[in-house]
Amino acid sequence: EVSAHCWPMELTFRAFVGTTICALLSRAMLNFCGTDMKAFVLYEWSPQQHPWDWCDLPVMVLIAGTLGPFSAVHTWACLQVGSL
């Protein structure tokens, strides 16, 4: 796999600058139109006091432990198909 640590420093800098400029332009256009990011939220915007509790942690660990191996199998299958 190719990841960011394999990129040349110049490409990493260009990706960072491009992403930053796009984020700033997006914010500027939203301000120009008189709206904010909440207008694009597809779910209800109502922050909760406690979005999770400690009793949720074992369930999430169980889900991660169950579905984690499927990630490895999926990557292996994609590599096998890609090598055909």
Side-chain angles (χ1 to χ4, degrees):
E1 279 187 339
V2 176
S3 61
H5 73 276
C6 296
W7 292 3
M9 185 62 74
E10 294 83 14
L11 183 59
T12 304
F13 180 72
R14 288 175 60 186
F16 171 75
V17 170
T19 303
T20 303
I21 289 172
C22 287
L24 291 174
L25 284 175
S26 177
R27 176 65 72 171
M29 286 188 287
L30 287 172
N31 287 340
F32 179 75
C33 293
T35 186
D36 61 355
M37 195 57 74
K38 291 180 186 176
F40 296 103
V41 175
L42 299 178
Y43 52 88
E44 182 181 354
W45 186 268
S46 58
Q48 300 175 0
Q49 292 285 354
H50 302 286
W52 65 276
D53 201 1
W54 284 106
C55 65
D56 297 329
L57 191 61
V59 175
M60 298 314 265
V61 169
L62 181 66
I63 291 172
T66 303
L67 295 179
F70 288 113
S71 171
V73 170
H74 179 263
T75 302
W76 176 82
C78 288
L79 290 172
Q80 294 301 315
V81 169
S83 68
L84 293 177

